[in-house]
Structures are given as C-alpha cells and as structure tokens.
Amino acid sequence: SRVDGRPDGHYVSKPNYATLTNGLSPSVHGLTSDAYATTTDVHNIYHQLDLAGISFKDYYQGEAGGCTVRFNGDYHDPIRYYTDVADICNAHDVPLSTFMADLNGGNLPAFSMILPDNEHNMHNNNVASGDTYARSILDPLLNSQAYASGDLAIFFLWDEDTPIPNVILAPSVIPGTKIRAPTGNPISHFSALRTWEEMLDLPLLGDTGSAPSLLPFLEGHPVQ
C-alpha cells in the first residue's frame, strides 16, 4: 500500500499516512519524512467529516487524550498533521482505552482509525506480539452488534516498504474473495481513501478518483 519510497532504503511512514487521509502524493502534500512537528494545510478527510457533521475519532495507544499528548510512534497519527483541524483535534484524538467503551456502548463514530504505538505495530516488536495486539482489537469488533448488523466495515491496513496484502472485513464480503485490480492501477492508499469517502458520501479528495474503488469488494465482487 505504500505510496512513497526512498532510494537510500530508509523507511518512512508519515508520508503514507498523510496520503491515506488527503489523497495527494508526498511531493504535493509536503510531508516527506517522519518529523513529528511537520504539518500541512492541504484538505483532508478529517476536515471533510467535520464540515459534513459526521462523527470521527482517531484512537491511539496511550493513556491520555488529545493531540497535545505525545506517545511512542505518534508520527503515525494523521489527524495531528493538519492545520485546518488543529482547533478540534483534541476532541477527536482519543486514547485506545475509550475504544471498548464506545464499541460496547454502541457509540463508535462513523469513521475511526485505530493506531498502535511502536511497541504494538510490528516495527519495533515481533510479529507474534503484533498478532496478539491485532486480535485484541479485531475479536471485539467482529463479535460486536455493529458488525453483526452490517453497519461496520473493517480495513486492516499495513504501511510497509514491500507489498503486503491488506484485509477488508464486512458481513457482506464473501469469504475468500480476493481483489483483482486493473492492470497498471494497483490497490493503494488512494483506493482506501476513495472507498471511505464513497461510503460516507464525501467528495473525492486529490487523486483518489483515479484509483480503483473497493466498494465492489465489499459486495463480494472482484474490483474491475
């Protein structure tokens, strides 16, 4: 799913999380490194959601809430990148400890992103511990009333510098369905963002309109 690579082999994450939420290449949105303090004023899905009055949250691995609270790996938290939502960021950037309460209380927002810290995301820890962490999130989601009702789709995405399968889960997806992207137009972060905006009836940002939509996949069909 990566959209940015460095010829020197140095792995960077922030440019890809930015593209995932604004639909622009790093050369356009300007976030080309993992520097925490770097921000951008480009339009993004968080601002779209706020303008449309649609609920949203980023859940991050930490004990306190708000964008002003640092955590290990916080450069992976994309809501913090954008100057146009800086004044509302604290209300929508919350600790993961509130996630289960929202899920069990039927209060999950229309759009949410769950962001593990560097001790749980397989960057600085082993695969087994990352799997255990993922299971602690996925199991409650898959057993929730929201998922059973058909109101919840789960995008389980990686951000790596080698091709890695992404997983999309929803009651409407026929088990075993695989995405077949058009030749020369691979599934990417642009595709994920396009699909989220289509699901939420939001205008397509940046270059997302040129990417394959994943909506057919959610209906159990290959992407053509």
Side-chain angles (χ1 to χ4, degrees), residues 167-186:
V167 179
I168 303 172
L169 304 169
S172 58
V173 174
I174 299 172
T177 302
K178 297 180 180 179
I179 297 175
R180 291 194 294 271
T183 301
N185 192 12

Side-chain angles (χ1 to χ4, degrees), residues 117-134 158:
D117 63 16
N118 281 343
E119 300 305 317
H120 298 86
N121 62 14
M122 301 188 199
H123 283 316
N124 299 328
N125 58 301
N126 61 47
V127 172
S129 63
D131 285 345
T132 298
Y133 173 82
W158 280 262

Side-chain angles (χ1 to χ4, degrees), residues 179-188 191 194 210-214 216 222-224:
I179 297 175
R180 291 194 294 271
T183 301
N185 192 12
I187 304 300
S188 66
S191 298
R194 172 177 178 162
S210 300
S213 172
L214 302 178
V223 175
Q224 301 295 338

